[in-house]
Amino acid sequence: MLYGRDSFALEEVSLQIHKGEFVFLTGRNGSGKSTLLKLMSAQLMPTAGRVWVNGRFTDELTEETLPFFRRKLGILQADIDLLEDRTVLENVEFAMMAIQYKKKDIRMRAEKALSITGVLSQRDKFPKELSGGEKMRVMLARCLVNNPNILILDEPTVYLDADEAWDLMCLLRDINQKGVTVVISCHDRQLITIMKQRVITLVAGTVTADNEHMIYDMKKSDIFMEREVLRQRELRKKEKNT
């Protein structure tokens, strides 16, 4: 995946995530985690290679089929916040407005999603009245309201304290145990170690480790590994130009 002519966001990434897995993507800022998640959710298209999700190649999606593809995904990005002028319930209902549900069904499904994430009692509050952990649970409810089979979460714990982050991870583990695939970018090494799930480590756009039930190994993504990846990339570029 290139940004510009020769600026790599991802390079030679090849991996498979199976139905029902719980997978962490980890690495330093700029390592390619968000880019990989955006490729999975068809927010970006690959400049080389192909991405297969839910039985479809993303580069074959059209303007007509893309909305239906995304309805099967729950996408949570920390930079896409709740609407401040709508209540918690209205925020979750808003995620269903593009689908032709009856009004009573929209309300029922929104309340169910809020119940699953433990914030139904906050339904009439506005986002500014919520704690960081409560806001993230509402955002997760917004992801769940259309019954996705894959959750794609980009740094959901970045603004949470340790207790709130752990509560969110426990909730995601419960959702995963019901059969939903969870793919989550996270830089919290302690949290990753506690969860003991599959961990894919990215360094400078390259996968340097893919481990099951991982105890986090700091050496996999430290600055020395990044320099080595970049050095090898420069060598390949020079060989190609000679």
Side-chain angles (χ1 to χ4, degrees):
M1 181 71 193
L2 286 170
Y3 286 147
R5 290 186 58 188
D6 55 8
S7 177
F8 283 95
L10 295 171
E11 183 183 25
E12 297 184 0
V13 172
S14 179
L15 56 90
Q16 185 174 13
I17 296 173
H18 297 282
K19 181 180 179 181
E21 278 197 280
F22 191 123
V23 180
F24 282 106
L25 302 180
T26 192
R28 290 156 55 88
N29 290 339
S31 61
K33 303 187 300 297
S34 295
T35 299
L36 184 53
L37 293 181
K38 287 179 179 179
L39 286 169
M40 290 175 59
S41 57
Q43 296 177 70
L44 291 174
M45 292 297 160
T47 54
R50 307 189 80 183
V51 179
W52 173 272
V53 180
N54 269 341
R56 299 291 302 269
F57 283 112
T58 59
D59 59 321
E60 294 179 352
L61 296 169
T62 64
E63 288 186 11
E64 291 76 25
T65 59
L66 182 58
F68 295 96
F69 169 82
R70 288 212 179 119
R71 283 174 200 168
K72 296 180 181 179
L73 309 177
I75 304 168
L76 191 156
Q77 294 171 232
D79 58 347
I80 300 179
D81 211 339
L82 299 173
L83 299 171
E84 292 292 335
D85 61 343
R86 296 174 187 257
T87 65
V88 163
L89 184 61
E90 289 169 343
N91 264 281
V92 178
E93 289 177 334
F94 186 74
M96 304 178 66
M97 293 304 179
I99 305 174
Q100 300 301 312
Y101 287 117
K102 294 179 180 179
K103 189 173 182 179
K104 66 176 182 179
D105 291 334
I106 290 176
R107 178 60 52 88
M108 179 182 67
R109 291 169 71 102
E111 289 178 343
K112 180 180 179 182
L114 289 168
S115 179
I116 290 171
T117 59
V119 284
L120 181 58
S121 62
Q122 314 295 327
R123 52 178 285 169
D124 297 321
K125 290 185 177 181
F126 288 88
K128 65 181 180 181
E129 301 175 89
L130 305 176
S131 69
E134 288 170 338
K135 285 182 70 173
M136 193 55 64
R137 284 172 175 261
V138 175
M139 292 169 72
L140 182 57
R142 190 172 59 183
C143 293
L144 294 173
V145 74
N146 289 316
N147 295 323
N149 53 21
I150 301 174
L151 280 179
I152 297 173
L153 305 105
D154 193 2
E155 296 285 0
T157 64
V158 67
Y159 299 121
L160 305 182
D161 64 30
D163 289 339
E164 290 172 333
W166 175 241
D167 287 343
L168 181 66
M169 284 299 154
C170 290
L171 176 58
L172 289 171
R173 184 175 57 191
D174 291 344
I175 292 169
N176 171 249
Q177 289 174 348
K178 294 177 182 177
V180 178
T181 305
V182 176
V183 184
I184 173 172
S185 68
C186 183
H187 65 276
D188 188 327
R189 294 165 178 171
Q190 183 177 9
L191 202 56
I192 290 170
T193 296
I194 293 171
M195 291 296 292
K196 294 184 176 63
Q197 300 290 338
R198 180 182 174 190
V199 180
I200 297 169
T201 303
L202 287 161
V203 174
T206 299
V207 174
T208 58
D210 187 348
N211 303 98
E212 298 285 347
H213 310 296
M214 183 177 175
I215 304 289
Y216 194 85
D217 182 355
M218 186 173 176
K219 293 180 181 179
K220 296 293 185 183
S221 66
D222 65 13
I223 191 169
F224 301 106
M225 177 66 79
E226 181 171 339
R227 287 174 176 168
E228 178 61 18
V229 169
L230 295 174
R231 189 181 71 84
Q232 292 295 331
R233 184 173 294 161
E234 284 300 315
L235 288 174
R236 289 194 297 272
K237 189 186 297 184
K238 288 179 181 178
E239 290 174 0
K240 184 177 180 181
N241 292 333
T242 56

